[in-house]
Amino acid sequence: MLQTPEAVPTPEHLLPLFFVREVNASDSQIGTINMAMNAVMLLGYSIWTQISLKRGGRFVLLATTLGMALYPALSAATPRVEWIMFYAGIAGFFQAGLDLVNNIHNLLNNDLNVIVYNFVDMLSHARTEMEVLKELAGDEMSYRSITASWFEHS
């Protein structure tokens, strides 16, 4: 009897292992990589929407698939955390277009579409190692202040 595997590893699941084992990235650096991708993805949604209206869904699908293919290739070719953060931002831009093309039929049927950005979780992971965040959120009071400010102004 042929059994189907319960889980199939995808590059999305293998990249964090690569970051830990090959690049020696810390938890906060991996969090920052994900934050870079997600932050740029927010900007990418509006840009890819405009491109889709002008050039069509097929162009967006082809361009974003090619762009997403570059992320693991570039990360493997240059295994340095700083460059991977940059590549993650580029991948986030292309991921936004890919998400848009794959889910446009669902989005068009909704009265309201909401994007949830997990800023607080990313901030809590990155604040122990990034110098800028150590200065901004060095103690609990300043961390709470930044979090409250984000909620007020987002």
Side-chain angles (χ1 to χ4, degrees):
M1 174 187 323
L2 182 64
Q3 292 184 349
T4 5
E6 291 183 27
V8 177
T10 62
E12 177 182 317
H13 299 106
L14 296 176
L15 279 174
L17 292 174
F18 171 75
F19 297 153
V20 170
R21 292 183 181 170
E22 301 298 322
V23 183
N24 297 319
S26 67
D27 287 344
S28 65
Q29 289 172 323
I30 293 171
T32 305
I33 290 168
N34 289 328
M35 185 171 63
M37 180 180 269
N38 289 322
V40 175
M41 193 181 305
L42 289 174
L43 175 66
Y45 283 124
S46 61
I47 294 171
W48 284 112
T49 301
Q50 297 302 315
I51 294 171
S52 177
L53 292 172
K54 289 180 184 173
R55 304 282 309 262
R58 182 179 177 169
F59 172 80
V60 172
L61 181 61
L62 291 172
T64 56
T65 302
L66 177 63
M68 283 303 295
L70 294 175
Y71 177 50
L74 290 171
S75 296
T78 320
R80 292 191 50 207
V81 173
E82 301 81 16
W83 281 103
I84 292 173
M85 287 177 196
F86 175 71
Y87 301 148
I90 294 171
F93 176 73
F94 288 108
Q95 183 64 49
L98 199 55
D99 288 350
L100 180 71
V101 169
N102 289 335
N103 296 313
I104 192 71
H105 61 280
N106 293 333
L107 296 174
L108 294 175
N109 294 329
N110 298 334
D111 293 333
L112 173 67
N113 292 302
V114 178
I115 297 172
V116 176
Y117 183 66
N118 198 359
F119 170 79
V120 176
D121 184 48
M122 289 184 223
L123 176 65
S124 67
H125 289 292
R127 76 178 178 129
T128 57
E129 290 198 21
M130 293 182 64
E131 292 301 320
V132 172
L133 292 178
K134 281 182 189 178
E135 291 180 27
L136 290 173
D139 57 15
E140 288 300 314
M141 183 185 286
S142 57
Y143 174 71
R144 286 187 201 124
S145 173
I146 288 173
T147 304
S149 176
W150 182 81
F151 277 114
E152 284 177 32
H153 302 290
S154 66

